[in-house]
């Protein structure tokens, strides 16, 4: 039976009304916490860490490049976290895994705010920063898959794209909070105080947010489809799950998920990280003005993502994604000339357009990826496919773009880089089967028939 065939009988009902909204809220709050902390590091790496944790070389871009190298460490750790927590999440459940990841990220981020600088302890400072960054990235590698699947597995078949886009919308909220805190601190404090201690406050505040997020996640319930898959795993020893099983049985799905992430991940970090580097190093643009531009763009990004999620359900997964890929490839060719105007309104518009185009790729990812894998290995498949890509995409994008800017003084190599990435993602999108409206139970039945397992009963 093809996964594109629809079940003749109705799938299990998803929680209705406030029940589904509660699950969405719980997933979103945790994601806000995680991305507040993760994006806080990205922004601080651009504005603070290059000066505070590394020796001065006389070229401002050298410190930023070194800071981005520590930033990349978190991306390298994410696939490892995806493997470990994907295995745990498929066996024990989405809820306990998400509770664990939020604590790990909270502790590591708080400790970053306590680190002394290069002037105090020399090269031990960046070494400790790298260690904490690795731990932070490791936990985040298991966070995303669990958060989006918690919603996707509860969602009605016809509106999975919309509901599962809300955890994606939580990402700009987390980024917004991080940017807001840094913006306030940079305006209230002098430049010396902000670099000296002000940036630490944003990291320490993570402890408060983590407590809130952890509490809300204690009230999350597992989806019925997962509980049934877990019971089957416990009953039938022949049924396997997790990372090694998904690599063996669904390599194409992993490659497709990686391809979907490639251009989206690169574009996002060019818009929110490298744009700051470009404006600050080339045009000496004011830090507070940069943060204000990001604040506005993140608000609009948050509002746009769920609306694109609706389009994913009405137009289909593939058409919406292709809109994002093709328009995303064009973004740098008009955005950087807009940056060069140094006009605040034009700059805000360039960043905002970039994030809106990004939303056409980002909003549909949870629905698409959850429909690529059966429940018994869905957490592992989604986490592995999405997080491995970050090593070659988001981790390198701002680093490569900054190096090219230093070597050539031009944004053109970065624009060509994004075009190539979009071409790769386009191939991945075209290789997909359209799964709009499919029941996840149907994916499980197709998997069971393929592997000669007991076919799950139709409810």
């Amino acid at each position: 039976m093809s996964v594109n065939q629809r079940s003749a009988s109705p799938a299990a009902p998803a929680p209705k009304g406030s029940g589904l909204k509660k699950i969405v809220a719980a997933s979103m709050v945790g994601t806000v916490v995680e991305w507040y902390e993760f994006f806080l590091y990205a922004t601080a790496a651009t504005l603070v860490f290059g000066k505070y944790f590394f020796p001065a070389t006389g070229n401002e871009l050298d410190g930023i490049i070194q800071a981005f190298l520590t930033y990349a460490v978190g991306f390298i750790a994410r696939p490892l976290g995806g493997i470990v927590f994907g295995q745990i999440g498929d066996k024990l459940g989405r809820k306990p895994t998400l509770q664990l990841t939020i604590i790990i990220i909270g502790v590591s981020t708080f400790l970053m705010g306590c680190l002394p600088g290069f002037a105090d302890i020399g090269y031990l400072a960046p070494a400790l920063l790298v260690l904490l960054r690795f731990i932070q990235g490791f936990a985040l590698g298991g966070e995303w898959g669990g958060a989006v699947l918690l919603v996707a597995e509860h969602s009605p078949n016809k509106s999975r794209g919309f509901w599962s886009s809300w955890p994606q919308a939580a990402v700009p909220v987390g980024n917004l909070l991080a940017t807001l805190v840094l913006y306030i601190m940079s305006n209230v404090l002098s430049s010396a105080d902000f670099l000296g201690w002000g940036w630490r406050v944003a990291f320490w505040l993570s402890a408060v947010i983590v407590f809130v997020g952890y509490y809300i996640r204690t009230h999350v319930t597992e989806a019925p489809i997962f509980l049934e898959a877990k019971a089957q795993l416990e009953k039938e020893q022949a049924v396997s799950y997790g990372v090694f099983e998904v690599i063996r049985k669904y390599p194409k799905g992993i490659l497709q998920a990686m391809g979907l992430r490639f251009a989206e991940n690169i574009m996002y970090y060019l818009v929110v990280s490298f744009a700051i580097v470009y404006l600050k190093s080339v045009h000496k643009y004011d830090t507070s003005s940069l943060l204000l531009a990001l604040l506005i763009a993140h608000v609009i990004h948050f509002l746009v993502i769920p609306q694109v999620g609706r389009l994913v359900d009405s137009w289909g997964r593939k058409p919406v994604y292709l809109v994002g890929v093709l328009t995303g490839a064009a973004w740098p060719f008009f955005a950087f000339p807009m940056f060069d105007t140094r006009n605040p309104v034009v700059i805000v518009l360039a960043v905002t357009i970039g994030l809106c185009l990004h939303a056409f790729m980002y909003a549909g990812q949870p629905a698409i990826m959850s429909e690529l894998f059966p429940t018994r290995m869905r957490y592992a498949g989604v986490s592995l496919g999405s997080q491995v890509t970050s090593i070659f995409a988001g981790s390198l994008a701002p680093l490569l773009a900054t190096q090219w800017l230093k070597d050539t003084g031009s944004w053109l190599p970065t624009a060509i880089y994004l075009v190539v990435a979009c071409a790769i993602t386009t191939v991945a999108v075209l290789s997909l089967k359209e799964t709009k409206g499919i029941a996840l139970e149907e994916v499980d039945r197709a998997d069971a028939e393929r592997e000669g397992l007991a076919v799950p009963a139709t409810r």
Side-chain angles (χ1 to χ4, degrees), residues 85-351:
F85 292 113
Q87 195 79 5
I88 295 172
D90 279 330
K91 183 176 183 179
L92 299 182
R94 285 57 167 138
K95 176 179 175 177
T97 308
L98 291 173
Q99 288 174 312
L100 179 59
T101 57
I102 198 173
I103 291 175
I104 295 174
I105 289 187
V107 171
S108 61
T109 305
F110 181 84
L111 291 177
M112 283 180 188
C114 301
L115 287 178
F118 185 86
D120 300 309
I121 58 174
Y123 285 100
L124 184 58
L128 291 173
L129 183 66
V130 168
L131 176 62
L132 291 175
R133 174 62 176 166
F134 184 90
I135 294 171
Q136 186 191 56
F138 178 78
L140 186 62
E143 155 65 24
W144 183 81
V148 299
L149 290 185
L150 197 65
V151 179
E153 291 178 341
H154 277 99
S155 298
N157 300 328
K158 293 183 178 180
S159 56
R160 185 175 299 115
F162 170 70
W163 289 109
S164 64
S165 71
W166 279 99
Q168 303 289 73
V171 173
V173 175
N175 295 345
L176 174 67
L177 291 177
T179 306
L180 180 61
V181 171
L182 289 172
Y183 175 73
I184 292 173
M185 299 304 295
S186 66
N187 273 282
V188 172
L189 302 175
S190 66
S191 179
D193 286 340
F194 178 73
L195 288 173
W197 61 269
W199 62 271
R200 297 181 184 275
V201 175
F203 284 79
W204 292 336
L205 284 174
S206 67
V208 178
I209 305 175
V210 163
F211 282 126
V212 174
Y214 181 84
Y215 172 78
I216 292 178
R217 283 192 169 173
T218 60
H219 295 82
V220 168
T221 57
E222 300 285 5
I225 191 172
F226 169 74
L227 295 176
E228 289 186 6
K230 182 181 178 182
Q232 186 182 28
L233 286 172
E234 294 170 350
K235 181 179 179 181
E236 299 185 35
Q237 297 299 318
V239 180
S240 189
Y241 67 94
V243 173
F244 299 108
E245 180 74 354
V246 77
I247 292 174
R248 190 164 64 95
K249 300 294 187 181
Y250 289 87
K252 180 181 178 181
I254 294 174
L255 290 174
Q256 288 173 320
M258 291 174 65
L260 291 173
R261 272 289 268 171
F262 192 62
E264 172 269 310
N265 202 223
I266 288 173
M267 182 175 179
Y268 185 74
Y269 287 101
L270 290 180
V271 175
V272 301
S273 292
F274 179 65
I276 296 177
V277 175
Y278 182 81
L279 287 164
K280 197 160 179 60
S281 62
V282 175
H283 296 301
K284 308 303 178 186
Y285 206 71
D286 177 62
T287 296
S288 295
S289 298
L290 286 173
L291 292 174
L292 180 60
L294 284 175
L295 277 173
I296 296 170
H298 287 319
V299 170
I300 296 175
H301 196 208
F302 165 73
L303 297 174
V304 167
I305 288 175
Q307 304 314 313
V308 177
R310 291 186 188 276
L311 295 180
V312 169
D313 289 321
S314 59
W315 293 3
R317 281 46 168 149
K318 294 174 66 173
V320 172
Y321 217 102
L322 285 173
V323 169
V325 176
L326 297 177
T327 56
W331 176 78
F333 294 98
F334 62 80
F336 285 97
M338 292 172 74
F339 292 152
D340 291 339
T341 67
R342 299 191 65 185
N343 183 304
V345 176
V346 175
I347 288 172
V348 170
L349 187 61
V351 174

Side-chain angles (χ1 to χ4, degrees), residues 425-443:
T425 295
T426 298
V427 173
V429 175
L430 294 176
S431 73
L432 293 170
K433 295 179 180 179
E434 181 56 65
T435 52
K436 181 182 74 169
I438 194 171
L440 295 182
E441 290 82 1
E442 197 63 40
V443 179

